[in-house]
Amino acid sequence: MAELRPSGAPGPTAPPAPGPAAPPAFASLFPPGLHAIYGECRRLYPDQPNPLQVTAIVKYWFTGTDGPSGFGFELTFRLKRETGESAPPTWPAELMQGLARYVFQSENTFCSGDHVSWHSPLDNSESRIQHMLLTEDPQLQPVQTPFGVVTFLQIVGVCTEELHSAQQWNGQGILELLRTVPVAGGPWLITDMRRGETIFEIDPHLQQDRVDKGIETDGSNLSGVSAKCAWDDLSRPPEDDEDSRSICIGTQPRRLSGKDTEQIRETLRRGLEINSKPVLPPINPQRQNGLTHDRTP
């Protein structure tokens, strides 16, 4: 950026009057909520004073530019550079813009350990990396802005099997496993879109020694599940094997097998054991119906 100088012939000038320094002429180009974010990025990447920037016509700023958004976080993404790649791809920006749009429209925020079921290759290729986990960025530190503290959440691309394990156990546990496998993320949790194996295929012991034991001792921290429901007229015979009515025999729904019934029963039993603590404290006999009973001394 060129230095801004006053017009006119050069000559001696009087020292400036005491008081607050005037902001640079280009300060207005940067919204106040972005100064601290840019500063943290420059601290981590001092060799990139003018990095490539991708923007959209309709922008979704989590931290707010001219005012607070109420979310207080920004998304980051570490992607492995592919052989022969001379410039960074732009699809990660589109991906993050889509996540930001979801947050603004639904008002559901993201937290470390959350997962995003994307059900499609993140780069629209044939990759097995089709879902995401979110975690605290391992290098970018929280920063203070005029609108409050901003934290950085990193997107980590995962395979379907890894997503299912995160749902059955928890996201933080799977993230720790990804950190231990260099080709699956390593300490910086770098996403490799050409990764063709899951961490359980790379190291089969992880499923039994870590995930299965974690599920048995910790259960799942999944707080909710979204599902699509549909119905059809069962009085008409199915047109082919792909027809949803083919799951029925005649007009009677197919019954669960004994194995499925036992699996459901065992899962419910474990859930009841893990959540055996009472939700509400016991009622104090001295306080009932909102009235306080005084004791006789």
Side-chain angles (χ1 to χ4, degrees):
M1 180 176 293
E3 181 183 358
L4 298 180
R5 298 180 182 275
S7 59
T13 58
F26 54 84
S28 60
L29 298 177
F30 297 94
L34 296 180
H35 279 291
I37 297 175
Y38 287 167
E40 178 64 10
C41 292
R42 284 193 294 268
R43 179 194 66 80
L44 187 59
Y45 304 106
D47 58 333
Q48 299 183 35
N50 188 28
L52 173 68
Q53 297 192 33
V54 180
T55 186
I57 297 177
V58 180
K59 302 175 179 62
Y60 295 89
W61 298 98
F62 284 134
T63 52
T65 57
D66 299 317
S69 69
F71 296 114
F73 69 90
E74 288 293 340
L75 295 173
T76 66
F77 186 55
R78 285 175 170 79
L79 178 67
K80 181 179 178 179
R81 180 178 179 178
E82 297 191 13
T83 303
E85 207 170 42
S86 59
T90 59
W91 65 261
E94 298 174 6
L95 182 72
M96 289 189 282
Q97 183 76 354
L99 293 175
R101 186 184 307 112
Y102 160 78
V103 171
F104 271 85
Q105 293 178 352
S106 68
E107 298 185 353
N108 293 325
T109 187
F110 286 137
C111 299
S112 179
D114 283 351
H115 69 268
V116 179
S117 304
W118 201 250
H119 300 291
S120 178
L122 304 187
D123 61 349
N124 296 318
S125 67
E126 300 298 323
S127 174
R128 293 184 68 179
I129 308 300
Q130 302 186 10
H131 310 279
M132 293 166 273
L133 297 178
L134 295 170
T135 185
E136 294 178 357
D137 192 291
Q139 293 180 289
L140 291 171
Q141 301 299 314
V143 295
Q144 182 70 45
T145 75
F147 308 124
V149 177
V150 175
T151 59
F152 296 91
L153 290 180
Q154 180 175 330
I155 300 169
V156 183
V158 295
C159 302
T160 299
E161 295 84 351
E162 295 157 354
L163 171 76
H164 290 166
S165 295
Q167 293 172 328
Q168 295 168 2
W169 184 22
N170 60 71
Q172 293 292 1
I174 300 303
L175 288 164
E176 288 302 320
L177 296 184
L178 291 170
R179 288 187 177 96
T180 65
V181 182
V183 297
W188 305 131
L189 293 172
I190 299 172
T191 297
D192 181 4
M193 293 303 299
R194 305 283 78 83
R195 175 161 66 95
E197 295 180 302
T198 70
I199 56 175
F200 309 116
E201 294 168 340
I202 297 172
D203 186 354
H205 295 93
L206 292 178
Q207 179 67 50
Q208 183 176 2
D209 296 346
R210 300 292 297 276
V211 178
D212 290 347
K213 288 185 177 179
I215 295 173
E216 183 176 355
T217 57
D218 305 332
S220 173
N221 68 351
L222 188 65
S223 61
V225 177
S226 60
K228 294 182 179 179
C229 300
W231 55 90
D232 210 334
D233 184 3
L234 299 180
S235 63
R236 295 184 293 111
E239 297 177 0
D240 51 47
D241 292 338
E242 300 298 325
D243 195 312
S244 61
R245 293 185 296 277
S246 64
I247 65 172
C248 299
I249 303 174
T251 58
Q252 298 299 320
R254 183 181 300 170
R255 295 182 178 275
L256 291 172
S257 66
K259 181 180 179 181
D260 291 337
T261 302
E262 183 59 31
Q263 184 177 4
I264 294 173
R265 183 183 294 111
E266 180 64 17
T267 302
L268 290 173
R269 184 188 64 79
R270 290 182 181 180
L272 291 174
E273 288 180 353
I274 294 173
N275 298 285
S276 59
K277 294 182 180 180
V279 178
L280 296 175
I283 298 176
N284 188 336
Q286 299 300 320
R287 286 182 176 271
Q288 295 184 5
N289 299 326
L291 298 177
T292 302
H293 300 275
D294 296 330
R295 293 183 179 179
T296 301

PDB file of all heavy atoms in Angstrom, residues 117-143:
ATOM      1  N   SER A 117     -23.504 -32.522   9.042  1.00  0.00           N
ATOM      2  CA  SER A 117     -23.784 -33.584   8.074  1.00  0.00           C
ATOM      3  C   SER A 117     -24.028 -32.939   6.718  1.00  0.00           C
ATOM      4  O   SER A 117     -25.108 -32.407   6.464  1.00  0.00           O
ATOM      5  CB  SER A 117     -25.005 -34.397   8.522  1.00  0.00           C
ATOM      6  OG  SER A 117     -24.822 -34.909   9.828  1.00  0.00           O
ATOM      7  N   TRP A 118     -23.053 -33.003   5.828  1.00  0.00           N
ATOM      8  CA  TRP A 118     -23.119 -32.316   4.541  1.00  0.00           C
ATOM      9  C   TRP A 118     -23.640 -33.227   3.437  1.00  0.00           C
ATOM     10  O   TRP A 118     -24.278 -32.781   2.495  1.00  0.00           O
ATOM     11  CB  TRP A 118     -21.737 -31.788   4.190  1.00  0.00           C
ATOM     12  CG  TRP A 118     -21.722 -30.676   3.194  1.00  0.00           C
ATOM     13  CD1 TRP A 118     -21.279 -30.727   1.904  1.00  0.00           C
ATOM     14  CD2 TRP A 118     -22.150 -29.322   3.394  1.00  0.00           C
ATOM     15  NE1 TRP A 118     -21.388 -29.491   1.285  1.00  0.00           N
ATOM     16  CE2 TRP A 118     -21.921 -28.615   2.189  1.00  0.00           C
ATOM     17  CE3 TRP A 118     -22.698 -28.629   4.485  1.00  0.00           C
ATOM     18  CZ2 TRP A 118     -22.235 -27.263   2.053  1.00  0.00           C
ATOM     19  CZ3 TRP A 118     -22.998 -27.292   4.340  1.00  0.00           C
ATOM     20  CH2 TRP A 118     -22.772 -26.622   3.142  1.00  0.00           C
ATOM     21  N   HIS A 119     -23.319 -34.523   3.521  1.00  0.00           N
ATOM     22  CA  HIS A 119     -23.806 -35.548   2.587  1.00  0.00           C
ATOM     23  C   HIS A 119     -23.414 -35.274   1.143  1.00  0.00           C
ATOM     24  O   HIS A 119     -24.155 -35.618   0.216  1.00  0.00           O
ATOM     25  CB  HIS A 119     -25.327 -35.708   2.702  1.00  0.00           C
ATOM     26  CG  HIS A 119     -25.792 -36.114   4.065  1.00  0.00           C
ATOM     27  ND1 HIS A 119     -25.546 -37.360   4.598  1.00  0.00           N
ATOM     28  CD2 HIS A 119     -26.461 -35.406   5.019  1.00  0.00           C
ATOM     29  CE1 HIS A 119     -26.067 -37.425   5.816  1.00  0.00           C
ATOM     30  NE2 HIS A 119     -26.621 -36.259   6.091  1.00  0.00           N
ATOM     31  N   SER A 120     -22.269 -34.663   0.957  1.00  0.00           N
ATOM     32  CA  SER A 120     -21.772 -34.395  -0.388  1.00  0.00           C
ATOM     33  C   SER A 120     -20.303 -34.036  -0.282  1.00  0.00           C
ATOM     34  O   SER A 120     -19.891 -33.401   0.695  1.00  0.00           O
ATOM     35  CB  SER A 120     -22.552 -33.245  -1.030  1.00  0.00           C
ATOM     36  OG  SER A 120     -22.045 -32.950  -2.308  1.00  0.00           O
ATOM     37  N   PRO A 121     -19.471 -34.434  -1.252  1.00  0.00           N
ATOM     38  CA  PRO A 121     -18.063 -34.027  -1.216  1.00  0.00           C
ATOM     39  C   PRO A 121     -17.939 -32.512  -1.067  1.00  0.00           C
ATOM     40  O   PRO A 121     -18.605 -31.753  -1.769  1.00  0.00           O
ATOM     41  CB  PRO A 121     -17.516 -34.522  -2.557  1.00  0.00           C
ATOM     42  CG  PRO A 121     -18.393 -35.685  -2.911  1.00  0.00           C
ATOM     43  CD  PRO A 121     -19.760 -35.316  -2.414  1.00  0.00           C
ATOM     44  N   LEU A 122     -17.077 -32.080  -0.164  1.00  0.00           N
ATOM     45  CA  LEU A 122     -16.990 -30.660   0.143  1.00  0.00           C
ATOM     46  C   LEU A 122     -16.563 -29.841  -1.068  1.00  0.00           C
ATOM     47  O   LEU A 122     -16.928 -28.670  -1.175  1.00  0.00           O
ATOM     48  CB  LEU A 122     -16.005 -30.429   1.303  1.00  0.00           C
ATOM     49  CG  LEU A 122     -16.291 -31.188   2.601  1.00  0.00           C
ATOM     50  CD1 LEU A 122     -15.340 -30.725   3.692  1.00  0.00           C
ATOM     51  CD2 LEU A 122     -17.745 -31.004   3.044  1.00  0.00           C
ATOM     52  N   ASP A 123     -15.781 -30.459  -1.978  1.00  0.00           N
ATOM     53  CA  ASP A 123     -15.310 -29.734  -3.148  1.00  0.00           C
ATOM     54  C   ASP A 123     -16.058 -30.139  -4.421  1.00  0.00           C
ATOM     55  O   ASP A 123     -15.598 -29.853  -5.528  1.00  0.00           O
ATOM     56  CB  ASP A 123     -13.811 -29.950  -3.339  1.00  0.00           C
ATOM     57  CG  ASP A 123     -13.464 -31.427  -3.551  1.00  0.00           C
ATOM     58  OD1 ASP A 123     -14.356 -32.282  -3.336  1.00  0.00           O
ATOM     59  OD2 ASP A 123     -12.315 -31.721  -3.902  1.00  0.00           O
ATOM     60  N   ASN A 124     -17.206 -30.818  -4.258  1.00  0.00           N
ATOM     61  CA  ASN A 124     -18.026 -31.259  -5.398  1.00  0.00           C
ATOM     62  C   ASN A 124     -17.278 -32.218  -6.328  1.00  0.00           C
ATOM     63  O   ASN A 124     -17.533 -32.250  -7.539  1.00  0.00           O
ATOM     64  CB  ASN A 124     -18.540 -30.052  -6.197  1.00  0.00           C
ATOM     65  CG  ASN A 124     -19.473 -29.182  -5.386  1.00  0.00           C
ATOM     66  OD1 ASN A 124     -20.333 -29.680  -4.662  1.00  0.00           O
ATOM     67  ND2 ASN A 124     -19.300 -27.873  -5.479  1.00  0.00           N
ATOM     68  N   SER A 125     -16.366 -32.997  -5.752  1.00  0.00           N
ATOM     69  CA  SER A 125     -15.640 -33.991  -6.540  1.00  0.00           C
ATOM     70  C   SER A 125     -16.173 -35.382  -6.177  1.00  0.00           C
ATOM     71  O   SER A 125     -17.321 -35.518  -5.749  1.00  0.00           O
ATOM     72  CB  SER A 125     -14.138 -33.887  -6.252  1.00  0.00           C
ATOM     73  OG  SER A 125     -13.868 -34.286  -4.905  1.00  0.00           O
ATOM     74  N   GLU A 126     -15.332 -36.407  -6.327  1.00  0.00           N
ATOM     75  CA  GLU A 126     -15.705 -37.769  -5.931  1.00  0.00           C
ATOM     76  C   GLU A 126     -15.084 -38.146  -4.600  1.00  0.00           C
ATOM     77  O   GLU A 126     -14.955 -39.322  -4.284  1.00  0.00           O
ATOM     78  CB  GLU A 126     -15.257 -38.760  -7.022  1.00  0.00           C
ATOM     79  CG  GLU A 126     -15.874 -38.499  -8.384  1.00  0.00           C
ATOM     80  CD  GLU A 126     -17.387 -38.639  -8.367  1.00  0.00           C
ATOM     81  OE1 GLU A 126     -17.896 -39.532  -7.650  1.00  0.00           O
ATOM     82  OE2 GLU A 126     -18.079 -37.875  -9.069  1.00  0.00           O
ATOM     83  N   SER A 127     -14.688 -37.157  -3.811  1.00  0.00           N
ATOM     84  CA  SER A 127     -13.972 -37.401  -2.559  1.00  0.00           C
ATOM     85  C   SER A 127     -14.853 -38.081  -1.520  1.00  0.00           C
ATOM     86  O   SER A 127     -16.080 -37.932  -1.504  1.00  0.00           O
ATOM     87  CB  SER A 127     -13.451 -36.076  -1.998  1.00  0.00           C
ATOM     88  OG  SER A 127     -12.866 -36.247  -0.723  1.00  0.00           O
ATOM     89  N   ARG A 128     -14.214 -38.822  -0.603  1.00  0.00           N
ATOM     90  CA  ARG A 128     -14.910 -39.415   0.533  1.00  0.00           C
ATOM     91  C   ARG A 128     -15.116 -38.408   1.661  1.00  0.00           C
ATOM     92  O   ARG A 128     -15.844 -38.691   2.620  1.00  0.00           O
ATOM     93  CB  ARG A 128     -14.131 -40.629   1.068  1.00  0.00           C
ATOM     94  CG  ARG A 128     -14.073 -41.812   0.107  1.00  0.00           C
ATOM     95  CD  ARG A 128     -13.388 -42.996   0.743  1.00  0.00           C
ATOM     96  NE  ARG A 128     -14.170 -43.574   1.837  1.00  0.00           N
ATOM     97  CZ  ARG A 128     -13.798 -44.643   2.546  1.00  0.00           C
ATOM     98  NH1 ARG A 128     -12.631 -45.228   2.288  1.00  0.00           N
ATOM     99  NH2 ARG A 128     -14.558 -45.110   3.522  1.00  0.00           N
ATOM    100  N   ILE A 129     -14.480 -37.260   1.573  1.00  0.00           N
ATOM    101  CA  ILE A 129     -14.630 -36.226   2.605  1.00  0.00           C
ATOM    102  C   ILE A 129     -15.933 -35.485   2.322  1.00  0.00           C
ATOM    103  O   ILE A 129     -15.997 -34.582   1.492  1.00  0.00           O
ATOM    104  CB  ILE A 129     -13.429 -35.263   2.598  1.00  0.00           C
ATOM    105  CG1 ILE A 129     -12.113 -36.027   2.678  1.00  0.00           C
ATOM    106  CG2 ILE A 129     -13.550 -34.266   3.748  1.00  0.00           C
ATOM    107  CD1 ILE A 129     -11.964 -36.883   3.928  1.00  0.00           C
ATOM    108  N   GLN A 130     -16.992 -35.865   3.043  1.00  0.00           N
ATOM    109  CA  GLN A 130     -18.337 -35.366   2.734  1.00  0.00           C
ATOM    110  C   GLN A 130     -19.042 -34.741   3.936  1.00  0.00           C
ATOM    111  O   GLN A 130     -20.226 -34.399   3.830  1.00  0.00           O
ATOM    112  CB  GLN A 130     -19.188 -36.511   2.185  1.00  0.00           C
ATOM    113  CG  GLN A 130     -18.600 -37.160   0.946  1.00  0.00           C
ATOM    114  CD  GLN A 130     -19.520 -38.192   0.319  1.00  0.00           C
ATOM    115  OE1 GLN A 130     -20.688 -38.325   0.692  1.00  0.00           O
ATOM    116  NE2 GLN A 130     -19.011 -38.931  -0.639  1.00  0.00           N
ATOM    117  N   HIS A 131     -18.349 -34.617   5.058  1.00  0.00           N
ATOM    118  CA  HIS A 131     -18.966 -34.040   6.262  1.00  0.00           C
ATOM    119  C   HIS A 131     -17.914 -33.219   6.992  1.00  0.00           C
ATOM    120  O   HIS A 131     -16.738 -33.202   6.610  1.00  0.00           O
ATOM    121  CB  HIS A 131     -19.527 -35.138   7.166  1.00  0.00           C
ATOM    122  CG  HIS A 131     -20.394 -36.122   6.441  1.00  0.00           C
ATOM    123  ND1 HIS A 131     -21.703 -35.874   6.139  1.00  0.00           N
ATOM    124  CD2 HIS A 131     -20.117 -37.354   5.933  1.00  0.00           C
ATOM    125  CE1 HIS A 131     -22.221 -36.902   5.491  1.00  0.00           C
ATOM    126  NE2 HIS A 131     -21.274 -37.812   5.350  1.00  0.00           N
ATOM    127  N   MET A 132     -18.329 -32.545   8.068  1.00  0.00           N
ATOM    128  CA  MET A 132     -17.415 -31.659   8.780  1.00  0.00           C
ATOM    129  C   MET A 132     -17.553 -31.791  10.292  1.00  0.00           C
ATOM    130  O   MET A 132     -18.646 -32.027  10.803  1.00  0.00           O
ATOM    131  CB  MET A 132     -17.684 -30.206   8.382  1.00  0.00           C
ATOM    132  CG  MET A 132     -17.353 -29.858   6.944  1.00  0.00           C
ATOM    133  SD  MET A 132     -18.051 -28.269   6.433  1.00  0.00           S
ATOM    134  CE  MET A 132     -19.683 -28.785   5.893  1.00  0.00           C
ATOM    135  N   LEU A 133     -16.417 -31.631  10.972  1.00  0.00           N
ATOM    136  CA  LEU A 133     -16.384 -31.427  12.412  1.00  0.00           C
ATOM    137  C   LEU A 133     -15.835 -30.033  12.663  1.00  0.00           C
ATOM    138  O   LEU A 133     -15.105 -29.483  11.830  1.00  0.00           O
ATOM    139  CB  LEU A 133     -15.508 -32.475  13.102  1.00  0.00           C
ATOM    140  CG  LEU A 133     -15.947 -33.932  12.991  1.00  0.00           C
ATOM    141  CD1 LEU A 133     -14.944 -34.843  13.697  1.00  0.00           C
ATOM    142  CD2 LEU A 133     -17.337 -34.137  13.563  1.00  0.00           C
ATOM    143  N   LEU A 134     -16.167 -29.452  13.799  1.00  0.00           N
ATOM    144  CA  LEU A 134     -15.706 -28.114  14.155  1.00  0.00           C
ATOM    145  C   LEU A 134     -14.933 -28.176  15.458  1.00  0.00           C
ATOM    146  O   LEU A 134     -15.326 -28.879  16.398  1.00  0.00           O
ATOM    147  CB  LEU A 134     -16.888 -27.159  14.286  1.00  0.00           C
ATOM    148  CG  LEU A 134     -17.676 -26.889  13.002  1.00  0.00           C
ATOM    149  CD1 LEU A 134     -18.955 -26.141  13.308  1.00  0.00           C
ATOM    150  CD2 LEU A 134     -16.831 -26.110  12.017  1.00  0.00           C
ATOM    151  N   THR A 135     -13.828 -27.437  15.510  1.00  0.00           N
ATOM    152  CA  THR A 135     -13.006 -27.410  16.712  1.00  0.00           C
ATOM    153  C   THR A 135     -12.344 -26.049  16.836  1.00  0.00           C
ATOM    154  O   THR A 135     -12.299 -25.267  15.874  1.00  0.00           O
ATOM    155  CB  THR A 135     -11.927 -28.511  16.662  1.00  0.00           C
ATOM    156  OG1 THR A 135     -11.213 -28.542  17.901  1.00  0.00           O
ATOM    157  CG2 THR A 135     -10.943 -28.259  15.527  1.00  0.00           C
ATOM    158  N   GLU A 136     -11.814 -25.752  18.012  1.00  0.00           N
ATOM    159  CA  GLU A 136     -11.081 -24.499  18.197  1.00  0.00           C
ATOM    160  C   GLU A 136      -9.826 -24.511  17.327  1.00  0.00           C
ATOM    161  O   GLU A 136      -9.108 -25.505  17.280  1.00  0.00           O
ATOM    162  CB  GLU A 136     -10.707 -24.319  19.669  1.00  0.00           C
ATOM    163  CG  GLU A 136     -11.901 -24.125  20.585  1.00  0.00           C
ATOM    164  CD  GLU A 136     -11.494 -23.987  22.040  1.00  0.00           C
ATOM    165  OE1 GLU A 136     -10.278 -24.096  22.318  1.00  0.00           O
ATOM    166  OE2 GLU A 136     -12.367 -23.781  22.893  1.00  0.00           O
ATOM    167  N   ASP A 137      -9.576 -23.411  16.647  1.00  0.00           N
ATOM    168  CA  ASP A 137      -8.402 -23.324  15.792  1.00  0.00           C
ATOM    169  C   ASP A 137      -7.144 -23.515  16.631  1.00  0.00           C
ATOM    170  O   ASP A 137      -6.977 -22.863  17.668  1.00  0.00           O
ATOM    171  CB  ASP A 137      -8.354 -21.969  15.082  1.00  0.00           C
ATOM    172  CG  ASP A 137      -7.323 -21.926  13.981  1.00  0.00           C
ATOM    173  OD1 ASP A 137      -6.114 -21.949  14.293  1.00  0.00           O
ATOM    174  OD2 ASP A 137      -7.721 -21.874  12.805  1.00  0.00           O
ATOM    175  N   PRO A 138      -6.234 -24.426  16.233  1.00  0.00           N
ATOM    176  CA  PRO A 138      -5.057 -24.714  17.065  1.00  0.00           C
ATOM    177  C   PRO A 138      -4.006 -23.616  17.056  1.00  0.00           C
ATOM    178  O   PRO A 138      -3.087 -23.652  17.871  1.00  0.00           O
ATOM    179  CB  PRO A 138      -4.510 -26.007  16.438  1.00  0.00           C
ATOM    180  CG  PRO A 138      -4.959 -25.968  15.027  1.00  0.00           C
ATOM    181  CD  PRO A 138      -6.289 -25.276  15.035  1.00  0.00           C
ATOM    182  N   GLN A 139      -4.105 -22.634  16.153  1.00  0.00           N
ATOM    183  CA  GLN A 139      -3.081 -21.596  16.057  1.00  0.00           C
ATOM    184  C   GLN A 139      -3.622 -20.188  16.254  1.00  0.00           C
ATOM    185  O   GLN A 139      -2.976 -19.368  16.896  1.00  0.00           O
ATOM    186  CB  GLN A 139      -2.373 -21.692  14.692  1.00  0.00           C
ATOM    187  CG  GLN A 139      -1.536 -22.956  14.524  1.00  0.00           C
ATOM    188  CD  GLN A 139      -0.855 -23.008  13.179  1.00  0.00           C
ATOM    189  OE1 GLN A 139      -1.505 -23.196  12.152  1.00  0.00           O
ATOM    190  NE2 GLN A 139       0.453 -22.832  13.159  1.00  0.00           N
ATOM    191  N   LEU A 140      -4.774 -19.877  15.703  1.00  0.00           N
ATOM    192  CA  LEU A 140      -5.343 -18.543  15.859  1.00  0.00           C
ATOM    193  C   LEU A 140      -5.972 -18.408  17.236  1.00  0.00           C
ATOM    194  O   LEU A 140      -6.853 -19.180  17.604  1.00  0.00           O
ATOM    195  CB  LEU A 140      -6.386 -18.278  14.772  1.00  0.00           C
ATOM    196  CG  LEU A 140      -5.855 -18.137  13.344  1.00  0.00           C
ATOM    197  CD1 LEU A 140      -6.997 -18.098  12.344  1.00  0.00           C
ATOM    198  CD2 LEU A 140      -4.990 -16.883  13.219  1.00  0.00           C
ATOM    199  N   GLN A 141      -5.527 -17.440  17.987  1.00  0.00           N
ATOM    200  CA  GLN A 141      -5.996 -17.228  19.345  1.00  0.00           C
ATOM    201  C   GLN A 141      -7.212 -16.293  19.365  1.00  0.00           C
ATOM    202  O   GLN A 141      -7.385 -15.468  18.467  1.00  0.00           O
ATOM    203  CB  GLN A 141      -4.872 -16.625  20.204  1.00  0.00           C
ATOM    204  CG  GLN A 141      -3.623 -17.490  20.263  1.00  0.00           C
ATOM    205  CD  GLN A 141      -3.906 -18.846  20.874  1.00  0.00           C
ATOM    206  OE1 GLN A 141      -4.578 -18.942  21.915  1.00  0.00           O
ATOM    207  NE2 GLN A 141      -3.409 -19.900  20.248  1.00  0.00           N
ATOM    208  N   PRO A 142      -8.071 -16.411  20.383  1.00  0.00           N
ATOM    209  CA  PRO A 142      -9.185 -15.457  20.508  1.00  0.00           C
ATOM    210  C   PRO A 142      -8.670 -14.022  20.564  1.00  0.00           C
ATOM    211  O   PRO A 142      -7.611 -13.753  21.147  1.00  0.00           O
ATOM    212  CB  PRO A 142      -9.860 -15.873  21.825  1.00  0.00           C
ATOM    213  CG  PRO A 142      -9.481 -17.310  22.006  1.00  0.00           C
ATOM    214  CD  PRO A 142      -8.099 -17.444  21.442  1.00  0.00           C
ATOM    215  N   VAL A 143      -9.400 -13.102  19.946  1.00  0.00           N
ATOM    216  CA  VAL A 143      -8.978 -11.704  19.888  1.00  0.00           C
ATOM    217  C   VAL A 143     -10.093 -10.822  20.418  1.00  0.00           C
ATOM    218  O   VAL A 143     -11.271 -11.169  20.379  1.00  0.00           O
ATOM    219  CB  VAL A 143      -8.611 -11.289  18.439  1.00  0.00           C
ATOM    220  CG1 VAL A 143      -7.403 -12.054  17.957  1.00  0.00           C
ATOM    221  CG2 VAL A 143      -9.788 -11.507  17.493  1.00  0.00           C
TER     222      VAL A 143
END
